[in-house]
Amino acid sequence: MKGSATRIMMRRVAGAAIALLLSVPLFAFQPSAGQESFKAVPIDQIPPTEQLPAAPLLIAAYAFAWIAVFFYVWTVWRRLNKVETEMRALERRQSHRGEGAPGVNRTSLP
Amino acid sequence: MKKLFVPLTIVTAALFAYAPVAIAGAPYESTMLLVQKIFYFHVPSWMGMYSAIAVCGGASAVHLFKNRPAADRLAVSAAELAVMFGAIGLVTGPLWGRKAWGVWWSWDVRTDMAFLMWLVFVAYLLVRTYGGPGSDKLAAAMGLFGTAVSPFVYVSVNIWRTVHPLNTVVPELIGGSMPGAGLPFAVSSFAFLLLFALLLALRVNLASRQAVLDELYLAEEDGAA
């Protein structure tokens, strides 16, 4: 129960990792740039309309970095909240038990 | 660390707020132009990953040979951060490469080895999550293995010359090979390293609370028995 959030997260990470690994052959079989039927053109001769714009790649890189950090902080915060909730529930259970029949010796708890 | 956490968070936030301004003011590299600015987050993310790997390796060794639960908590926290910072490096690299090299992934020795090293730490976390009892020791050995691999990944680019820039590009940059690029790089690097320290403290705190909770559950089971 206590590690279920971690397990769900790890399952998602494992799923993503497996998907990434399975996609490796697709990249591996990409045609090479030096095929005989094509002719290379120096980059400075490519018209501006045909050039790959850099800005979207730059924005995507910075956006991904921020999303990754915020996502990680969110997962830690969520796990911390869950642990604190469980601790409070456990303490309530123990205090109820302490009022009735002798149960857990609370002084021995950390 | 508790007293330092808030001031360091403010400093880190200020550095990250200033970083885009500094990066926007940095000069354009002569051949790659705008896309080269990915460098200012790409390299610091690897610095974060290498820091995490060093901490994970050291803590894993302590846990493996001296059986210290606190070291284990530090190791698993650092391993998570290694995966997180590594993911940033592995995504920002191909975005840069798509423009600079013309392909998302060039099967360069450095990038392949970095990906494999990242997978070692993903495996570490999988072992920790699904390995069951005793997985902490197995994972500690994996952490040590991943750490042992990391220097080879670092020097790989100098041994097998491929399209990836050499490691010397960073000292050259700091040394003034591209005037005006040193400051944004220093700001980003410092921000990422501080972020690593803060996230590590946060994650270790979570691991400590989980350990306390586990002890509470065990105490309850003992009391019920």
Side-chain angles (χ1 to χ4, degrees):
Chain A
M1 190 177 89
K2 61 189 161 59
S4 62
T6 312
R7 283 201 188 91
I8 289 166
M9 197 189 77
M10 288 311 300
R11 270 190 203 128
R12 285 175 189 162
V13 171
I18 290 164
L20 195 67
L21 284 174
L22 290 176
S23 68
V24 164
L26 290 176
F27 291 107
F29 295 118
Q30 276 180 344
S32 66
Q35 283 179 326
E36 284 177 84
S37 56
F38 296 114
K39 207 173 155 186
V41 174
I43 198 160
D44 54 355
Q45 290 177 19
I46 298 171
T49 51
E50 293 294 318
Q51 286 179 19
L52 188 69
L57 296 167
L58 184 72
I59 292 164
Y62 280 74
F64 180 82
W66 280 113
I67 289 166
V69 169
F70 280 115
F71 177 74
Y72 182 72
V73 171
W74 176 74
T75 62
V76 172
W77 173 78
R78 215 172 60 122
R79 283 181 282 173
L80 203 54
N81 264 355
K82 196 168 162 44
V83 168
E84 295 297 337
T85 307
E86 279 187 43
M87 280 177 110
R88 280 195 295 273
L90 201 58
E91 279 171 8
R92 269 200 304 275
R93 269 208 311 269
Q94 286 170 354
S95 62
H96 282 305
R97 207 171 287 161
E99 285 167 12
V104 180
N105 178 11
R106 296 196 77 236
T107 54
S108 67
L109 299 182
Chain B
M1 186 68 194
K2 273 181 186 173
K3 281 182 185 172
L4 283 174
F5 193 84
V6 174
L8 282 180
T9 304
I10 293 166
V11 171
T12 309
L15 284 171
F16 272 114
Y18 178 63
V21 179
I23 293 165
Y28 288 94
E29 198 273 333
S30 60
T31 55
M32 290 181 279
L33 303 172
L34 180 66
V35 82
Q36 185 270 340
K37 295 199 176 196
I38 290 178
F39 167 86
Y40 299 105
F41 262 35
H42 177 72
V43 176
S45 70
W46 286 116
M47 287 177 167
M49 187 191 188
Y50 271 95
S51 306
I53 287 172
V55 171
C56 180
S60 293
V62 172
H63 180 58
L64 198 59
F65 302 117
K66 296 197 170 179
N67 201 23
R68 302 269 165 82
D72 181 45
R73 291 197 289 272
L74 183 62
V76 73
S77 305
E80 267 191 22
L81 288 170
V83 170
M84 198 272 288
F85 282 111
I88 294 173
L90 285 170
V91 169
T92 54
L95 285 166
W96 183 0
R98 180 70 184 91
K99 176 73 179 170
W101 301 336
V103 287
W104 294 106
W105 193 267
S106 65
W107 301 103
D108 180 278
V109 176
R110 162 60 79 83
T111 55
D112 293 351
M113 284 185 78
F115 178 58
L116 291 173
M117 181 173 70
W118 181 76
L119 284 179
V120 170
F121 288 93
V122 171
Y124 176 104
L125 296 180
L126 289 174
V127 166
R128 288 305 299 254
T129 310
Y130 301 108
S135 64
D136 55 330
K137 294 282 184 183
L138 181 62
M142 288 179 72
L144 266 181
F145 177 73
T147 308
V149 166
S150 63
F152 295 101
V153 178
Y154 183 75
V155 298
S156 62
V157 77
N158 294 343
I159 297 170
W160 297 280
R161 275 307 298 131
T162 54
V163 288
H164 193 283
L166 288 165
N167 292 331
T168 51
V169 76
V170 174
E172 280 170 9
L173 193 82
I174 296 165
S177 65
M178 210 165 88
L183 176 71
F185 180 69
V187 168
S188 286
S189 303
F190 198 48
F192 265 84
L193 291 174
L194 274 177
L195 181 70
F196 160 71
L198 290 170
L199 290 178
L200 185 66
L202 199 66
R203 183 58 184 83
V204 168
N205 179 47
L206 169 65
S208 303
R209 300 298 289 164
Q210 280 172 333
V212 171
L213 183 65
D214 286 343
E215 284 183 37
L216 281 168
Y217 274 120
L218 283 173
E220 191 188 47
E221 279 174 20
D222 289 346

